[in-house]
Amino acid sequence: MWDPEKKRLGRAPPMAQVAPATAKVALGIDIGGTNTVFAFVTPDGRLLGRTVIPTRAQEGGERLMARICQQAAAMLREAPAPVAGIGVGSAGQIDPRTGVCVFANDNLPGWTGMDIRGRLAAATGLPVYVDNDANAAALGEQRFGAGRGVANLVCITLGTGVGGGIISRGRLLTGHRGLAGEVGHIIVQAGGDPCPCGLRGCLEAYASATAIVRRTREALPAYPDSRLRQVEPLTAREVFAAAAAGDPCGERILAETAWYLAVGLASVINLLDPELILIGGGVAQAGEPFLDRVRAHLDSWAVTRGRARIARCALGEAAGGVGAPALVLAAA
Ligand SMILES: [Zn+2]
């Protein structure tokens, strides 16, 4: 059984101190809307083999679960060392106590209600730990990445959506139903733009890559000379590149995105007093000029007056593969 008291985190001993015969690895599975990543990871965070399969979400949840079980079983037959368990980070709202997906939006049709833990445990015979992908990423950063040694941190992923994971006093903060840390759905503009979650005015409705592209398209008619008018397909990366090159439309969107993100982060800081806030996902590639704007707002909006450090995630695209096995290692 999943035991919240056992989710205490600690630095893993170096592999050199573990006798080879007892050295175990964890299999991590990161289920995203586009790709699903499988990786074996040692207790000190070394990747020992990584496989990526397309999620093909439109085929439905049942087909996806069957392919994940099949791939996991195939990898376990070739495991580089004894396997301690399987950690799964999945898109959607996950109840970590049951390992069931409570709700997934249209990015993963048929995933709502999926018993991820039960199905994988039956297929492999191993202990399985499931959480949402943002919580897994937060654990991965705390254990192996930019948050090593930090007991109080918040990890925010700005990608297709906006995810968040909170580590408080060394443990993943789960909340009453395991749904804590939904930073993406902090209201930054009451009654504002619609969010994929069905509410309005959430941070995700302004600061996700999807929202950045939408806001750019809405703003472009006012900028007849913007280079972004020629860009197709328009992406958040292109918008930030244009901002860096001095394009006024790009600069406006970058400034507004930093403003909305800082509005959300001010509440996060005032509520949790984290030592460190890590920003990951594609939008974080906008880099230090973007984060400097966020920091400047927070100097005047957060009661800690800028004492929460804002930095970028270290694991990048590897976070999914490394974060999910961290669920196994954290439970050990
Ligand atoms: Zn929302």
Side-chain angles (χ1 to χ4, degrees), residues 184-187 195-205:
H185 305 286
I186 288 178
I187 304 294
C195 178
C197 75
L199 302 177
R200 283 182 169 272
C202 302
L203 177 60
E204 180 168 315

Side-chain angles (χ1 to χ4, degrees), residues 172-237:
L172 200 52
L173 190 73
T174 56
H176 179 52
R177 276 176 289 264
L179 302 180
E182 289 287 353
V183 175
H185 305 286
I186 288 178
I187 304 294
V188 294
Q189 182 79 58
D193 290 350
C195 178
C197 75
L199 302 177
R200 283 182 169 272
C202 302
L203 177 60
E204 180 168 315
Y206 295 91
S208 70
T210 318
I212 287 167
V213 169
R214 191 200 70 238
R215 290 194 293 109
T216 304
R217 289 197 196 286
E218 288 168 2
L220 270 175
Y223 297 91
D225 298 327
S226 171
R227 66 181 236 179
L228 289 167
R229 293 174 82 95
Q230 323 302 330
V231 176
E232 196 61 47
L234 191 58
T235 62
R237 186 189 298 251

Side-chain angles (χ1 to χ4, degrees), residues 146-148 150 154 269 274-279 295 298 304 306-311:
R148 271 180 192 250
V150 178
V154 179
I269 292 169
E275 176 184 347
L276 174 66
I277 293 181
L278 291 171
I279 311 287
R295 292 180 184 115
L298 290 173
T304 56
R307 285 198 292 272
R309 206 152 45 85
I310 313 286

Side-chain angles (χ1 to χ4, degrees), residues 8 27 31 50 80 99-100 107 119 122-123 125 205 207 227 281 293 305:
R8 190 188 305 275
L27 174 61
I31 304 166
R50 187 167 179 267
V100 172
N107 290 334
R119 294 283 296 271
R227 66 181 236 179
R293 286 172 188 256
R305 294 286 185 273

Side-chain angles (χ1 to χ4, degrees), residues 29 31 36 38 53-57 59-73 86 88 90 94 99-101 108-124 128 130:
I29 306 176
I31 304 166
T36 296
F38 298 74
I53 64 169
T55 298
R56 298 209 294 263
E59 292 181 0
E62 197 52 47
R63 296 276 292 272
L64 173 59
M65 194 70 237
R67 281 192 291 116
I68 288 171
C69 288
Q70 201 175 17
Q71 180 66 34
I86 300 176
V88 183
S90 173
I94 307 296
V100 172
C101 177
L108 282 178
W111 204 239
T112 300
M114 181 60 70
D115 180 5
I116 303 169
R117 184 172 78 187
R119 294 283 296 271
L120 265 170
T124 65
V128 178
V130 190

